[in-house]
Amino acid sequence: MRYIEPHAHMVSRVTDDYAAMVTAGCRAVCEPAFWAGFDRSSARGFYDYFCQLTEYEPRRAAQFGLPHYSWLCLNPKEAENLALAEEVLALIPSFLDRPNVLGIGEIGLNKNSRNEVAIFEKHVELAVQHGQMILIHTPHLEDKWKGTRLTIDILKRHPGVNPGRVIIDHVEEHTVELVLEAGFWAGITLYPQSKCTPARAIDMVEIYGTQRVWLNSACDWGNSDPLAVPKTAIEMKRRGHGENTIDRLIYQNPLQFLSQNPKFRLD
C-alpha cells in the first residue's frame, strides 16, 4: 500500500507516529496551520509557529524519510480578534517562498460569524494575489451546511479563484455533493468519534465516486488516529474495492491536486 497523508497536524504528534505512518506506506505528509487548542496572544506566537511548520517539523519528518509540506494561515477559531488577525495576515507573505509551503490553509469558517467571514475573505484575497492554492476548513460545531454554502458563495464571487486549486475539507454526507457540483475538490476527514468514520467515508465514495476526493486523518492533539487513511483502505478492500480504486483515492488523487504546486515532489 502507498498513500499520501494530505492533512495532519504533526506538531502535536510524537515521533512514533511518523515511524508508524512510514511503515504503513505513507509517502508524504502535509500540515495545514491550525488552532493550538488555545488562542495565541500575539503575532509573535504565530511567527514562531510558522517557523516550526517550515523549519523544524520538516527536519523531524525527514528523520523518517518522509517529505513534509505545510499550509499557512490564521485558523478561523482565532479570527474574532480582528487586530491580531490583521497582524498575522501581514506575516504570511514572507513565508510563502519557503520550500515546503504549498498554499493558504486551513482557512474558512467555524461558527459562521461576521468576523470569521471577514478574515476568510482576506485570506482568499491573499491567496489569489500570491497565486497560492487554498485548503478550506468547514464548521464542526455550528451549521456545517450553512458554513459550506457561505464558503462556496465567497469563493465563487472572487474572479481570481480557480475551483480546481481549492479543496474544501471535512465534508460530510450533506455537503459533499454541494462541494463537488461547484467544481471544488472535497476532503473527507476520518475521526474515531466525530467528522467521518471509515464506514461513512466509504459509503460517500460509493455514492459520489473518487473523482476530486481525498481522505485524510487530520490527526492532532485530540482523539484522532494518524493511521486512519491506511485503516480505511483496508476496510475498502474488505468491502470489495479494487486496488486501483483504493490507490486513486489515497495516493493518486492527493498527488494530482498537490502537484499543482511544483514544490510538491515525491522523489
Side-chain angles (χ1 to χ4, degrees), residues 72-103:
L72 302 180
C73 74
L74 174 134
N75 191 275
K77 287 184 178 181
E78 292 171 287
E80 296 300 340
N81 186 336
L82 294 176
L84 175 59
E86 294 284 358
E87 289 185 65
V88 176
L89 282 162
L91 286 175
I92 293 173
S94 65
F95 285 88
L96 293 178
D97 289 338
R98 297 201 172 188
N100 77 324
V101 176
L102 296 179

Side-chain angles (χ1 to χ4, degrees), residues 11-160:
V11 300
S12 58
R13 308 300 305 196
V14 299
T15 50
D16 284 353
D17 292 327
Y18 274 121
M21 292 166 69
V22 171
T23 301
C26 189
R27 302 296 176 85
V29 61
C30 305
E31 180 156 8
F34 85 136
W35 188 56
F38 59 91
D39 289 348
R40 281 160 280 220
S41 60
S42 72
R44 188 69 195 179
F46 282 90
Y47 179 88
D48 291 342
Y49 177 47
F50 295 159
C51 288
Q52 183 180 19
L53 290 177
T54 58
E55 297 174 13
Y56 176 73
E57 204 59 33
R59 290 199 296 269
R60 195 162 75 108
Q63 295 175 28
F64 301 88
L66 192 62
H68 176 282
Y69 295 93
S70 65
W71 302 71
L72 302 180
C73 74
L74 174 134
N75 191 275
K77 287 184 178 181
E78 292 171 287
E80 296 300 340
N81 186 336
L82 294 176
L84 175 59
E86 294 284 358
E87 289 185 65
V88 176
L89 282 162
L91 286 175
I92 293 173
S94 65
F95 285 88
L96 293 178
D97 289 338
R98 297 201 172 188
N100 77 324
V101 176
L102 296 179
I104 302 298
E106 55 183 303
I107 59 175
L109 305 174
N110 186 54
K111 294 183 178 179
N112 302 330
S113 72
R114 188 181 300 273
N115 287 345
E116 288 177 7
V117 168
I119 297 305
F120 174 53
E121 289 176 329
K122 289 180 180 293
H123 273 110
V124 172
E125 181 61 30
L126 178 68
V128 170
Q129 287 181 357
H130 291 271
Q132 299 293 309
M133 296 195 298
I134 299 174
L135 193 158
I136 302 285
H137 166 99
T138 49
H140 302 310
L141 301 178
E142 297 299 318
D143 187 333
K144 181 180 281 288
W145 189 94
K146 178 182 177 183
T148 304
R149 182 73 264 174
L150 276 170
T151 297
I152 291 173
D153 289 345
I154 291 168
L155 293 169
K156 286 290 190 182
R157 280 202 301 269
H158 198 302

Side-chain angles (χ1 to χ4, degrees), residues 215-230:
L215 302 180
N216 65 78
S217 74
C219 58
D220 55 21
W221 35 259
N223 188 9
S224 53
D225 183 359
L227 298 181
V229 172

Side-chain angles (χ1 to χ4, degrees), residues 135-257:
L135 193 158
I136 302 285
H137 166 99
T138 49
H140 302 310
L141 301 178
E142 297 299 318
D143 187 333
K144 181 180 281 288
W145 189 94
K146 178 182 177 183
T148 304
R149 182 73 264 174
L150 276 170
T151 297
I152 291 173
D153 289 345
I154 291 168
L155 293 169
K156 286 290 190 182
R157 280 202 301 269
H158 198 302
V161 171
N162 175 356
R165 301 184 78 231
V166 178
I167 182 150
I168 298 180
D169 210 349
H170 314 321
V171 299
E172 295 182 12
E173 291 86 342
H174 60 306
T175 60
V176 60
E177 187 173 16
L178 188 67
V179 169
L180 292 174
E181 284 189 345
F184 298 96
W185 283 68
I188 301 176
T189 299
L190 306 158
Y191 259 29
Q193 295 177 336
S194 61
K195 301 184 177 68
C196 278
T197 62
R200 287 174 54 197
I202 299 168
D203 286 347
M204 281 193 279
V205 170
E206 290 173 348
I207 293 171
Y208 298 103
T210 60
Q211 187 174 10
R212 285 185 285 113
V213 176
W214 77 25
L215 302 180
N216 65 78
S217 74
C219 58
D220 55 21
W221 35 259
N223 188 9
S224 53
D225 183 359
L227 298 181
V229 172
K231 289 178 180 177
T232 302
I234 292 171
E235 176 63 14
M236 287 184 71
K237 188 173 183 179
R238 189 190 69 78
R239 284 171 57 159
H241 291 277
E243 296 288 347
N244 288 339
T245 300
I246 296 170
D247 188 67
R248 172 166 296 282
L249 187 63
I250 67 175
Y251 181 78
Q252 296 179 46
N253 279 2
L255 177 63
Q256 179 184 346
F257 179 82

